[in-house]
Amino acid sequence: PLSGVSLWAQPPGGQVALGDRLVLSCAVAKGTGPLSFSWHRGGSAEPLGTGPRLELRHVGDEDSGHYQCRASDGDSTAESPTLNVTVL
């Protein structure tokens, strides 16, 4: 099964100035087979994006919130810890 899903942000800590760029990255410590990723904010079911990176080019106030990456290998799914993104 998948384990060790981690999430990190650039700029670090998820604090980003209004209008700046935010890049979120997701990685899996353990897992086999082709991985798929989806990104979620505030527990919404509708993914913001797919793939190991999520790039928000011009961050707005509506982009603040709790982000999470979900990784799947087809058989099992694991979620990263939640990252709180703050727009300054």
Side-chain angles (χ1 to χ4, degrees):
L2 289 175
S3 66
V5 181
S6 59
L7 166 57
W8 70 98
Q10 188 62 38
Q15 295 206 335
V16 59
L18 190 67
D20 277 5
R21 188 175 76 138
L22 173 71
V23 178
L24 301 177
S25 302
C26 189
V28 176
K30 274 177 67 178
T32 56
L35 297 174
S36 62
F37 297 92
S38 62
W39 292 92
H40 303 269
R41 182 177 69 223
S44 91
E46 191 65 36
L48 298 168
T50 55
R53 286 171 82 245
L54 178 69
E55 183 176 337
L56 305 175
R57 286 193 176 85
H58 300 285
V59 171
D61 288 328
E62 71 279 2
D63 292 316
S64 64
H66 294 88
Y67 285 76
Q68 198 171 38
C69 160
R70 201 170 287 159
S72 173
D73 62 3
D75 295 322
S76 63
T77 302
E79 294 182 345
S80 71
T82 302
L83 175 78
N84 189 22
V85 169
T86 308
V87 178
L88 306 174

